Amino acid sequence: MNATRNLVWPALGAGLLAGVVAGVLVTVAVVAARQSDAEDQAGGPPPGGGPPPAMVRVGQADIQRLRHRIPVIGRLQEVRRVTVTSEIAGKVTTLAVDEGDAVAGGETKIAQIDDVWSRLRLESAEADVAAAEAELRQSRSDLTQLEQLRQAGSARSKEVDDARTLVAGNEARLAAAIADRDRSRVEVERARVVAPFHGAVSRKLAEAGQWVEPGDPLIEMISTGQIDAVVDVPERYIGSLGVGDPVEVVVEVVDVRVVGEVVSVRPDGTNASRTFPVKVRLDDPDDRLRIGMSAVAHVPITREDDFITVPRDAVLFSPGGAAVWYAASMGQPLPAALSEPVEVLFGVGADRYAVAPLPGAPFPALTPDTLVVIEGAERLFPTQPLDILNADETDPGPPLPTAKPSSGTDAAPDA
């Protein structure tokens, strides 16, 4: 038994050792294959055995002639607010809307007023018109006969004049009857109250079954689709604004940025704060903005000047401030990532920022046509090689900026 055990255990040990060695070789081969695939996807191994390139997308910085802006806090206000009233007397048989309902101008039914009395008045007015028309026809016929008799010498001139007076009186009575009939028709039509413009119901001021007189309120409604941002601009800047000027407004609570147009500048300011109310009209097709929300308007305060602008996605915000990563040439096959601290001055449209480079960048190079990273910058580190995924989509422009130390920097960091 001991001899058999001495023969079996060595054989088992050798088999296990061979299996472990084979497994290690397979693992090494798989890892090597995966590394080779990764290098193929990244454009080959990094030069000089350095860090692997980061795959990014880029946009371009440019120079635009703009006006410097300052943020001014305000609030949103409706463009139109009206109280819809009844135009006839009667009982409210139907109040068809509730608070918050959207209504279409000229289409949505707000309320129905009992029109039974209006219809009865209309029927009476139509009968009066018919009677007046009959009397007028008869008086005209009599006048024609009398004029013929006078020509034959059988009627006096006074009889003809009296007939003409009667015709004129019947014509006036017919006109009055027609006006009364038309008024009765309008009353019947106005018994159905419709929304005066596109908007939403903000308050109900009546209920079904309530008796109303002409002028009594039914609902209060506000307009939708557009909204005004009312901001108080300091007096030292009010001279830079005029009706028609574009102004970007930011409503942070719903993450909305929209460029509106100045529609009014109040001529009378507030004595205490020395500000003037300015109204900026904004388009709100998705109905995301609400009356009373806080808004920040970026008000132009200077004449036009040249500003560096970059895509909004190129600006990374951190507790230490804002920065822009860009692609620079450092003598290697692939461009290198460098960052430059910036001050975000104001928004330009919906997709760009006007920025001002700040001191502190080791290689300042934020100039027009600089390729700035708009996707993939979150994990970059200085001098990391860049694999630009959308290189074919960008305007080649001038060569990449060559990293040159700013004043006070002795040497560039190792690539």
Side-chain angles (χ1 to χ4, degrees):
M1 176 66 72
N2 291 335
T4 303
R5 183 180 301 172
N6 291 336
L7 293 174
V8 171
W9 282 113
L12 290 175
L16 289 174
L17 180 60
V20 170
V21 171
V24 170
L25 293 175
V26 171
T27 302
V28 170
V30 171
V31 171
R34 290 181 178 177
Q35 183 175 0
S36 177
D37 292 341
E39 291 177 352
D40 290 342
Q41 293 177 1
M55 291 184 288
V56 299
R57 295 183 182 275
V58 297
Q60 284 183 311
D62 66 3
I63 291 287
Q64 295 189 29
R65 194 154 188 83
L66 304 167
R67 297 168 65 184
H68 199 325
R69 292 168 169 81
I70 61 166
V72 180
I73 298 175
R75 63 183 182 85
L76 299 184
Q77 176 182 291
E78 71 279 357
V79 174
R80 288 193 287 176
R81 179 188 294 269
V82 299
T83 300
V84 181
T85 63
S86 174
E87 297 186 55
I88 65 171
K91 183 176 67 175
V92 180
T93 58
T94 304
L95 194 64
V97 295
D98 206 343
E99 293 179 357
D101 288 351
V103 294
E107 299 178 5
T108 303
K109 179 180 177 180
I110 300 295
Q112 179 68 47
I113 310 298
D114 189 359
D115 61 356
V116 59
W117 304 112
S118 299
R119 291 189 178 278
L120 290 175
R121 283 192 293 270
L122 176 59
E123 292 176 3
S124 175
E126 288 175 340
D128 291 342
V129 169
E133 289 175 342
E135 291 178 359
L136 180 59
R137 283 194 302 269
Q138 182 61 47
S139 62
R140 284 175 175 172
S141 177
D142 293 343
L143 175 60
T144 301
Q145 292 179 5
L146 286 172
E147 288 176 341
Q148 293 174 353
L149 290 174
R150 188 182 65 174
Q151 291 176 358
S154 301
R156 294 177 297 179
S157 297
K158 185 177 184 310
E159 292 176 330
V160 175
D161 292 341
D162 291 344
R164 287 176 178 169
T165 301
L166 181 60
V167 168
N170 287 337
E171 287 176 344
R173 281 190 290 274
L174 176 60
I178 290 175
D180 188 54
R181 180 200 63 189
D182 293 344
R183 182 172 58 252
S184 298
R185 283 179 177 173
V186 171
E187 287 183 356
V188 172
E189 293 173 357
R190 298 294 173 84
R192 183 178 184 270
V193 183
V194 298
F197 50 79
H198 286 28
V201 178
S202 59
R203 283 198 304 164
K204 288 173 57 178
L205 303 173
E207 293 292 345
Q210 179 178 336
W211 181 272
V212 292
E213 297 289 340
D216 285 351
L218 300 174
I219 66 163
E220 186 179 77
M221 63 172 291
I222 58 174
S223 59
T224 56
Q226 287 186 319
I227 198 166
D228 288 339
V230 180
V231 296
D232 294 325
V233 179
E235 62 181 4
R236 62 183 178 275
Y237 300 133
I238 198 66
S240 302
L241 279 176
V243 174
D245 286 350
V247 174
E248 184 187 48
V249 177
V250 179
V251 185
E252 293 184 354
V253 69
V254 289
D255 192 25
V256 169
R257 289 179 176 269
V258 59
V259 177
E261 181 179 292
V262 175
V263 294
S264 71
V265 179
R266 283 267 300 273
D268 52 336
T270 303
N271 291 333
S273 60
R274 295 290 189 265
T275 59
F276 290 80
V278 174
K279 187 180 293 184
V280 182
R281 185 145 300 165
L282 313 173
D283 289 330
D284 182 30
D286 300 328
D287 196 26
R288 298 182 61 191
L289 305 180
R290 294 288 184 269
I291 295 167
M293 285 182 174
S294 296
V296 178
H298 295 273
V299 178
I301 60 171
T302 62
R303 295 181 179 179
E304 288 188 344
D305 201 354
D306 291 334
F307 289 89
I308 297 176
T309 71
V310 297
R312 288 181 183 265
D313 292 337
V315 181
L316 288 184
F317 295 93
S318 68
V324 173
W325 287 85
Y326 64 93
S329 175
M330 300 190 72
Q332 299 294 332
L334 293 177
L338 294 174
S339 69
E340 185 161 359
V342 296
E343 177 188 0
V344 178
L345 301 176
F346 51 86
V348 181
D351 58 353
R352 297 186 77 84
Y353 281 127
V355 298
L358 296 177
F363 306 101
L366 195 57
T367 58
D369 298 319
T370 299
L371 297 183
V372 293
V373 179
I374 61 174
E375 184 179 321
E378 293 81 2
R379 295 179 177 83
L380 292 179
F381 56 85
T383 71
Q384 182 178 9
L386 296 179
D387 182 6
I388 299 176
L389 300 178
N390 62 335
D392 296 338
E393 302 172 8
T394 58
D395 183 4
L400 292 176
T402 301
K404 295 181 180 179
S406 61
S407 57
T409 304
D410 296 332
D414 295 334

